[in-house]
Amino acid sequence: MWAFVRRHRDGWPWVVLGLLALGTWLSANADRPLLWAALGAAGLAGAVVLVWWLRRRWAAWREQRSVARTDLSGVDLMTGTEFEAFVASLLRTHGYRQVEVVGGASDGGADVRARAPDGRAVVVQCKRWRRPVPPNEVRAFVGTLSGSHRGFTGVFVASRGFTDAAVREAGAGHDAALTLVGREDLALWMRGERAPELPPARAA
């Protein structure tokens, strides 16, 4: 909580000055009941908006702290479902919007959907395995990008990385925009040093 307050302390002097100015103005207009009623309604609306904004900022800060305090050893202990939620948190903390976890028994290769900072629709496949991902899994995800998620940019995140054959499969010249995020890339992403670079947008 105190870390959250310290991050936003630079704006407090302006808030104090604003409150002092408002108090001075109100004391000079204390005999106008309609004005007080309007100010009361405006104050209530402002309080609701402020609480909503603070709750969103607090939730975002808690998510950022949770991501920052997790390392690869923590990832290795996650279930597949927990890993999908964790990748969704990574996306949100790096500017992705409309992030939703959609994975399930019939997810069709889509575990998370989101909007990239540049506005592109992104679909993410997550594999929290104990071994590198083989090429057939990459081919299956390419099929998702060519079928049910045609037009999406694909991001394949694997906690144990990919085999050499899988990496070659991803760069085989297929008609899909795809980037792989292996173990080292995931560690850099988690530390905030380097987010995955999306491939160039494909022409429609």
Side-chain angles (χ1 to χ4, degrees), residues 23-37:
T24 302
W25 183 80
L26 289 175
S27 65
N29 294 273
D31 58 345
R32 301 174 64 182
L34 290 178
L35 174 63
W36 282 96

Side-chain angles (χ1 to χ4, degrees), residues 1-12 53-54 57-66 68-69:
M1 178 64 178
W2 288 113
F4 176 79
V5 171
R6 287 196 297 270
R7 288 181 58 188
H8 299 86
R9 65 181 181 274
D10 294 341
W12 289 113
W53 180 81
L54 287 174
R57 295 288 295 185
W58 175 247
W61 179 80
R62 288 187 64 186
E63 189 166 58
Q64 289 171 359
R65 185 180 66 168
S66 175
R69 296 177 68 176

Side-chain angles (χ1 to χ4, degrees), residues 93-167:
T93 58
H94 285 82
Y96 285 72
R97 298 172 288 108
Q98 300 175 24
V99 180
E100 59 174 339
V101 178
V102 295
S106 58
D107 59 25
D111 293 322
V112 182
R113 284 195 293 259
R115 284 280 174 184
D118 63 7
R120 274 188 282 174
V122 173
V123 61
V124 186
Q125 173 73 284
C126 306
K127 293 294 185 188
R128 211 292 299 154
W129 284 3
R130 296 181 180 178
R131 65 184 190 279
V133 170
N136 62 296
E137 294 291 336
V138 174
R139 282 194 295 272
F141 190 45
V142 168
T144 297
L145 297 174
S146 301
S148 61
H149 286 76
R150 188 173 186 83
F152 281 68
T153 297
V155 178
F156 201 141
V157 186
S159 65
R160 285 289 176 177
F162 301 86
T163 65
D164 291 341
V167 173

Side-chain angles (χ1 to χ4, degrees), residues 66-85:
S66 175
V67 167
R69 296 177 68 176
T70 304
D71 58 19
L72 287 175
S73 62
V75 168
D76 292 339
L77 296 175
M78 293 179 182
T79 64
T81 300
E82 289 170 342
F83 186 52
E84 292 170 8

